[in-house]
Amino acid sequence: MVAVRIIPCLDVRAGRVVKGVKFRDHVDMGDIIERARAYRDQGADELVFYDITASPEQRSVEVEWVERVAAEIDIPFAVAGGIRDVDRARAVLHAGADKISVNSPALKRPQLVRELADTFGSQCVVIGIDSMREVVNGKGCYRLRANTGDPDNMIDPDLDTRAWVEQVQRLGAGEIVLNCMDADGVQDGYDIDQLAEMRTICDVPLIASGGAGAREHFLEVFRRADVDGALAATVFHSGRIPIPALKAWLSANGIETRLQAESTAPVQ
């Protein structure tokens, strides 16, 4: 069994870490560098850095921030925010990122996924997907949204989530982060039904995002949706769920994690 990954997420806006509920009403959660150092020390398996207003503002993530974060951590580091072409992706990777994550730019130009995979290898290419439940012709389904970092400029690209998951894999995506928008920031648990459905068609690593509020939510998503990793923000930023204790508890409940050898977190 492959060890699952616990992944804190830094949603960044105007140089600060923020967090909202269903992509709205963002509140300040602290300094970027301080948060990155804390997660490095706590034994996070990866760190994700999202410049959430880059795409809505028609710009790209600032390479200077990537360099500053990369200089402080020694764990895998994925970066997202308006990466629209190979040259910008190269600059982000050279600045210290291990992976590049694209969302809205890929929806606008799907061939970008192929270009990135051909240039850097699929292992470097993460596709972020923001998905929400809808009813179309009387039938429930999952549909995409773009430019989600700015609620006032959010776009409905009129695309089905299942179809997009299949398409980006054909184009060379090496990993998918599925952010279930209806659960984002609510802290009532991950959207197990949606994640489990996408798992059936996803042959690359699938990362759950949106909804973590208790350690039981992590256990449930690993057991029931068979995801490869779980991304969370609020419960980690607030300190309500310490990562070492979460890993120890998951391991005690049959979920293999990457435990730090020096960790003495109690299993409660």
Side-chain angles (χ1 to χ4, degrees), residues 49 51 53-55 57-67 77-102 105-106 109 112 115-117 119-120 124-125:
F49 182 107
D51 185 335
T53 58
S55 286
E57 294 175 356
Q58 297 299 308
R59 60 175 178 80
S60 181
V61 59
E62 294 183 18
V63 171
E64 177 189 357
W65 273 113
V66 179
E67 292 175 339
F77 179 35
V79 173
I83 299 171
R84 297 179 178 84
D85 54 46
V86 167
D87 287 343
R88 195 57 178 177
R90 181 178 290 109
V92 170
L93 290 169
H94 285 178
D98 298 282
K99 304 176 186 178
I100 45 174
S101 180
V102 292
R109 192 170 69 85
L112 173 63
E115 294 168 3
L116 295 173
T119 304
F120 305 111
C124 287
V125 182

Side-chain angles (χ1 to χ4, degrees), residues 3 35 76 253 255:
R35 293 257 53 86
N253 282 275
I255 302 296

Side-chain angles (χ1 to χ4, degrees), residues 69 108 136 146 151 191 229 240 263:
V69 173
K108 292 181 180 178
V136 178
D191 187 338
R240 189 162 72 249
S263 175

Side-chain angles (χ1 to χ4, degrees), residues 240-252:
R240 189 162 72 249
I241 301 181
I243 291 175
L246 173 62
K247 286 187 171 188
W249 183 79
L250 287 171
S251 295

Side-chain angles (χ1 to χ4, degrees), residues 35-44 72 74-75 244 260 262:
R35 293 257 53 86
R37 288 172 179 158
Y39 295 133
R40 171 201 66 193
D41 295 343
Q42 289 176 31
E72 299 291 338
D74 55 2
I75 56 177
Q260 288 182 292
E262 68 273 19

Side-chain angles (χ1 to χ4, degrees), residues 18 29 32 52 72 84 89 95 102 113 123 126 136 145 163 178 215 219 237 244 246 258:
V18 299
M29 300 298 289
I32 297 170
I52 63 173
E72 299 291 338
R84 297 179 178 84
V102 292
V113 183
Q123 77 282 353
V126 181
V136 178
R145 291 294 185 271
L178 180 59
R215 62 184 186 180
L219 183 63
H237 297 338
L246 173 62
R258 299 175 175 91

Side-chain angles (χ1 to χ4, degrees), residues 165 169 173-174 176 198-206 228:
V165 168
Q169 289 181 92
I176 290 173
M198 300 309 158
R199 174 81 280 176
T200 65
I201 60 171
C202 187
D203 296 322
V204 300
L206 178 63
D228 300 274

